[in-house]
Amino acid sequence: MSAPYPASVLVIGLGTMGRGIVRALRGTVTDLRSFDEAPVTDEPGARRYNDLADAARGVDIIIEAIVEDLSAKRTLLRYLEGIVPEAIIASTTSTFLPSGLATSPAQRRRLLLAHFFNPADVVPLVEVVPAESTDRDAVETVIRMLRATGKSVVRLQREVDGLVANRLQAALIREAMHLRARGVASAEDIDRVLTTGLGPRWSAAGCFEVMDQGGLDVWARVLRRLVPDLASGHECADEVDELVLRGQLGVKSGRGFASHDSDAAERYRHAVEGAFGARRDDS
Ligand SMILES: NC(=O)c1ccc[n+]([C@@H]2O[C@H](COP(=O)([O-])OP(=O)(O)OC[C@H]3O[C@@H](n4cnc5c(N)ncnc54)[C@H](O)[C@@H]3O)[C@@H](O)[C@H]2O)c1
């Protein structure tokens, strides 16, 4: 258990991400609060408020984890600007950039992204992304709080769509779908290449270290030959659109690339916890 971190932090939105974020911060942040506009069940470890103005009173940091809708987020941010103009706001959006979220020049100095990964209490990584206008103090305050809870923080030097992790993931997914569409291997076998080969190795050493270990002379030849043959189009997005139109949404609809039973989400959570050596602590 990490040492107590004296701060007032409010998590707004108790959905998939907000709940995980509360679990990640509880026990460390001394005054942890939560608010959701819907009557969702409480997440233990945070003081739940029914009124946003009460919840936000005197907070140092607000973590915005509401629905991925720009107008809903901006309406909330405009309201917060009126009631707690001094609070730092960290949004966990996967889509919007900090410069496009802030609703006033003053808020632009105190708003940044803290992009968690689902399950947020299990995956250590948080990408922190300031806008050009974000005050350095605001960024450092959020990073200190996250590190106090044991998070692995990567601070991006500038805004970019998808940040680092989702860009790397999308590049890999495009090639995986290309290989599947060409009949080189099934989705299951491509996933096995990741889960029993590349993935565990990447958990020990990232791609730059893997290249250094293998020898850059070797990698120069590999890249020269392979890169021109890699997928570079947009077909993978069309293919996923077609699955969505057919109602194949993945685990939530029972079928995506594969069929899934009702325990699939729970098995996934356990598998991810196992991969990170996480201990279940629902107390
Ligand atoms: N789901 C993921 O894997 C994932 C990963 C990283 C980041 N994110 C980002 O996290 C954010 C939340 O995503 P999620 O998957 O948890 O969504 P979700 O739909 O599971 O939860 C959203 C919650 O916000 C509440 N809410 C909506 N509008 C509100 C408002 N105005 N005030 C207070 N509460 C409000 C809803 O009642 C709901 O409980 C999004 O910005 C998303 O891009 C999601």
Side-chain angles (χ1 to χ4, degrees), residues 12-19 21 35-40 52 64-69 72-73 75-76 91-96 114-119 166:
I12 305 184
L14 279 179
T16 307
M17 293 312 290
R19 289 180 181 285
I21 292 168
F35 172 79
D36 195 297
E37 67 170 10
V40 296
L52 181 51
E64 178 277 302
I66 72 163
V67 63
E68 191 69 323
D69 176 297
K73 285 188 192 288
T75 303
L76 172 68
S91 170
T92 191
T93 175
S94 299
T95 310
F96 308 115
H115 184 237
F116 289 77
F117 292 79
N118 182 31
N166 277 339

Side-chain angles (χ1 to χ4, degrees), residues 46 88 120 216:
I88 297 168
L216 295 186

Side-chain angles (χ1 to χ4, degrees), residues 87-109:
I88 297 168
I89 300 175
S91 170
T92 191
T93 175
S94 299
T95 310
F96 308 115
L97 293 175
S99 56
L101 276 179
T103 56
S104 73
Q107 193 170 61
R108 211 158 281 140
R109 293 202 294 275

Side-chain angles (χ1 to χ4, degrees), residues 17 63 160 200:
M17 293 312 290
I63 299 185
V160 61

Side-chain angles (χ1 to χ4, degrees), residues 35-220:
F35 172 79
D36 195 297
E37 67 170 10
V40 296
T41 49
D42 284 349
E43 182 59 43
R47 192 154 25 121
R48 170 78 176 273
Y49 287 77
N50 294 320
D51 180 85
L52 181 51
D54 287 344
R57 191 163 296 127
V59 288
D60 306 304
I61 301 172
I62 293 174
I63 299 185
E64 178 277 302
I66 72 163
V67 63
E68 191 69 323
D69 176 297
L70 184 57
S71 114
K73 285 188 192 288
R74 287 180 64 96
T75 303
L76 172 68
L77 291 171
R78 209 168 294 119
Y79 179 71
L80 291 172
E81 186 63 4
I83 57 170
V84 267
E86 67 292 341
I88 297 168
I89 300 175
S91 170
T92 191
T93 175
S94 299
T95 310
F96 308 115
L97 293 175
S99 56
L101 276 179
T103 56
S104 73
Q107 193 170 61
R108 211 158 281 140
R109 293 202 294 275
R110 287 176 290 94
L111 189 140
L112 62 150
L113 305 193
H115 184 237
F116 289 77
F117 292 79
N118 182 31
D121 53 324
V122 174
V123 183
L125 178 63
V126 183
E127 292 172 296
V128 167
V129 192
E132 232 174 86
S133 51
T134 313
D135 283 346
R136 183 192 287 233
D137 280 359
V139 183
E140 284 169 3
T141 301
V142 171
I143 291 178
R144 262 198 309 278
M145 186 273 291
L146 291 170
R147 290 201 172 131
T149 68
K151 286 296 181 196
S152 163
V153 176
V154 170
R155 181 199 161 140
L156 271 58
Q157 299 305 318
R158 64 183 190 85
E159 301 182 311
V160 61
D161 264 341
L163 316 186
V164 172
N166 277 339
R167 290 182 80 94
L168 293 178
Q169 195 162 234
L172 183 67
I173 287 172
R174 172 161 69 180
E175 183 58 26
M177 292 193 57
H178 180 62
L179 291 170
R180 176 176 170 272
R182 280 168 65 189
V184 173
S186 65
E188 198 185 353
D189 281 344
I190 294 169
D191 273 359
R192 201 188 308 278
V193 168
L194 292 172
T195 56
T196 61
L198 294 179
R201 188 172 72 175
W202 275 333
S203 75
C207 65
F208 292 105
E209 191 181 343
V210 164
M211 285 198 291
D212 269 355
Q213 293 285 349
L216 295 186
D217 50 334
V218 176
W219 273 99

